[in-house]
Amino acid sequence: MIQAALKENVARQFSRAAHRYDKLATIQQQIAAQAMSQIPVQSGRLLDIGCATGSNTALLAEKGFAAQGVDLAPGMVEYARMRYPHLAFYEADAQHLPFSGEAFDVVFSSMALQWCQNLSQVMIEIARILDKGGIATLSIMTDGSFGQLNAARRACGLAAATNAMATHQQWLAAAREAGFAVQQAQSVEYTDTFSEVLSLLRSIKAVGAGVRCDNETVSSLSRQQLKMLQNAYQQYTTPAGQLPLTYRVSHLILEKH
């Protein structure tokens, strides 16, 4: 039931974020750009898993890939189809992809797979749809993300900002168990900054990232709780007087034997 509830909440929150996602998802775009620069091939049949608004899928198509996209959120898929009618987008769960085996040469995914609770199933599905010698270039948000926020929330007696996430090493293990050869594996931190805690919380909600399986969102706080959180967060203030929010990301390049 927890997994089903989480999937439903993720789809709903990201659907709501579709029309403002690209404007606000600055860190996500930075991470995706880094991942795209690391794809070791320049053409082929490509699937973008967790395509969101389709902007990355379109960029990959411009680079020379025969690109398609899938996303769990129907609102994102609808928006992507509207923006890029020349490309194919499908509503699908990364753990159950609607494609035949060996249908793609490349799988790309940025900041989407962290919502999947069955790591092994995700990697098995990616391996199944990749042709022999196929490449998966993945960027996945991992355990340790939102560390400052979660610590500040604990200090105020508040629940964590998101559900627990898998570690970099757990994703690596799942990839190897699925038969992938690991060409590259990096754990990288990306930090955004904000003038005050309410803007920080809104940035998470605006891109659909504040999802919990119990329907709680990171912004559903009273004024008193927000004031407490602002005070607790002060210990992390940067020299420039900003509040940091750090994303820990696993960058993987995998090859199917």
Side-chain angles (χ1 to χ4, degrees), residues 78 100 134 173 216:
E78 180 182 355
S100 60
E216 182 182 342

Side-chain angles (χ1 to χ4, degrees), residues 2 8 23 29 49 57 59 61 77 79 94 99 115-116 121 132 134 143 145 153 165 167 175-176 191 198 224 234:
I2 291 177
E8 181 180 340
K23 181 179 179 180
Q29 290 164 1
I49 299 178
T57 319
L59 286 172
V77 173
Y79 192 65
F99 304 102
W115 303 115
C116 300
Q121 181 62 27
K132 296 178 180 66
D143 181 56
S145 296
R153 289 176 70 93
M165 296 182 186
T167 66
R176 291 189 173 110
T191 301
L198 184 57
Q224 182 179 1
Q234 294 305 308

